Amino acid sequence: ETGARGAGVELRLYEVDPETALERVQDHEGATVLQEAKNKPHGLREAYILDPDGYCWVPSRPLTPDEMKALDQ
């Protein structure tokens, strides 16, 4: 086997709090945070985490109405 197994694979985890996932990443050696939790215009709060095998995990949750309003401003 050559290279990372998960190269190019993105696993989306809906209804998983990005902040909680980012806290858990600190306990796992080799995981890399590619993007901190961020509110996105498509209505989700997401973070991007790369595991040692090359898989990109994207925990996300729906934005609250107030968070959606803040994006529009």
Side-chain angles (χ1 to χ4, degrees):
E1 181 177 319
T2 60
R5 291 189 305 237
V9 174
E10 184 177 283
L11 302 165
R12 294 195 157 263
L13 306 171
Y14 295 104
E15 300 295 334
V16 174
D17 182 61
E19 280 81 5
T20 302
L22 289 170
E23 288 173 14
R24 293 184 68 190
V25 163
Q26 297 173 3
D27 298 333
H28 296 281
E29 189 173 321
T32 303
V33 175
L34 298 177
Q35 183 182 73
E36 295 288 337
K38 183 176 179 182
N39 294 349
K40 302 292 185 88
H42 55 268
L44 294 174
R45 182 165 181 81
E46 300 176 327
Y48 287 78
I49 302 163
L50 189 66
D51 76 14
D53 290 322
Y55 293 93
C56 181
W57 298 83
V58 186
S60 65
R61 64 159 176 82
L63 295 177
T64 66
D66 287 340
E67 290 170 331
M68 285 297 294
K69 261 195 261 183
L71 282 177
D72 293 337
Q73 296 176 358

